[in-house]
Amino acid sequence: MNAEGAGPGSRLEVVSTVEALRARLRGEASVVLVPTMGNLHAGHLALVAEARRHGSCVVASIFVNRLQFEPGGDFDRYPRTLERDCELLAAAGCHVVFAPGESELYPEPQEIRLAPPKAAEQLCGEFRPGHFEGVVTVVAKLFNIVAPHTAVFGRKDYQQLFVIRTLVRQMNYPVRIVGVDTVREPDGLAMSSRNGYLSSEERTKAVRLGRELRAVKAAIESGRRDHEALCEIATANLTAAGWRVDYVALRNQSGLAVPGPADRDLVVLGAAWLGRTRLIDNLEIRA
Ligand code: PAF
C-alpha cells in the first residue's frame, strides 16, 4: 500500500510484515520510530513532526497491543482507522508505516515478557494490572524490529515515558528517547485517542481534569507544600463533578517518587473516569 506524502516526491510506504519492514529499512542511515496504536490525532502528528527533526526516515508503527490492555479494558472497542491514519501520516511527511497484524507480532503466545521497573507499580500501574509489562514488551519488540536510533513518545503518557526511558537505560538499547509536549484542544483538554469515546456532555466536562491539575500546579508554584491536601481537593472536586478518580498525585520528575523537601522538579498526574472513558493528564511543576 502506498499513499502520497506531503514532501516533494515523498511517498508513504505501508508494510505489515517484519521481513518487509527490515527489507525496506536496509541501508537507511537514520531511522526514527514513532510507536502508536493508531486512531491518530494532532498529538501523534506532533510526534511525527519532531521525529523528522531527528532522522531521514520516519517509521510510525500502528499496532493495538493486546498485551497492554487490562482484563475488561477497551481492547475490542479501540478504534482501528488504518486508512485515515495513513492519510494523516502521509500528509505529515512520515516515510514508512509498520502496521502488523496480531499474528505477525505475536505469532505464538508471548511467553517472554519484560518486567517493568518498580515505578510502574504505582499510579496507572496500580489501576491497570499488566499494562506496563505489555508496553515494555511491545516497545522492546519494536526496537528490535525497527532498530531506530531515536524513538519519539508523548509526554501525556508521563509514566509510560519514564518506564520506557528506564527500559532503554537498563537494557542498553542504543535508542535515544525524545519526549514531546502534550498537544491540547483549544479548551485545554489533552488530546487522546480515547476522547472520541466521550458523549458531548462528557466532552464538555472533560476539561475539568486539566483544570484541577492546573490548580494544584498554581498552588505549589505560589509556595504551598501541602501536596497531599492539594491532591485531595482536586480529587474531591472531580468526584463532586461526577468523575470516578483513580488518582491525583504529586511525584518528583527524577524517579516518579513521592517528593521530599529537597525536590523542586515535580509533576502532578491524574487519571479519572468520565462514564466509561478513562482520561489521564499531567503537568510539570517547578516548586
Ligand atoms: O502510547 C501508546 O500508544 C502505546 O502505549 C505504545 C507506546 C504505542 C505501545 O503500544
Side-chain angles (χ1 to χ4, degrees), residues 35-37 44 63 65 68 131 135 138-139 153 157 160 164:
T36 84
M37 297 204 301
H44 295 108
F63 181 68
N65 175 36
Q68 70 187 75
H131 171 67
V135 169
V138 80
V139 169
F153 295 85
D157 295 295
Q160 168 173 283
I164 288 167

Side-chain angles (χ1 to χ4, degrees), residues 269-281:
L269 308 102
W273 294 80
L274 262 183
R276 292 176 65 211
T277 308
R278 185 177 189 273
L279 300 179
I280 60 171
D281 201 348

Side-chain angles (χ1 to χ4, degrees), residues 64-122:
V64 184
N65 175 36
R66 185 187 290 276
L67 291 193
Q68 70 187 75
F69 286 78
E70 62 279 24
D74 59 344
F75 175 78
D76 287 329
R77 70 176 178 133
Y78 201 89
R80 274 81 167 166
T81 54
L82 182 61
E83 205 166 311
R84 184 176 163 275
D85 290 344
C86 289
E87 283 165 16
L88 291 172
L89 288 168
C94 179
H95 303 96
V96 180
V97 169
F98 177 48
E102 239 190 325
S103 60
E104 181 67 17
L105 228 51
Y106 299 127
E108 56 190 51
Q110 184 69 29
E111 293 174 285
I112 295 186
R113 299 185 187 198
L114 296 182
K118 260 209 144 356
E121 287 169 11
Q122 52 167 348

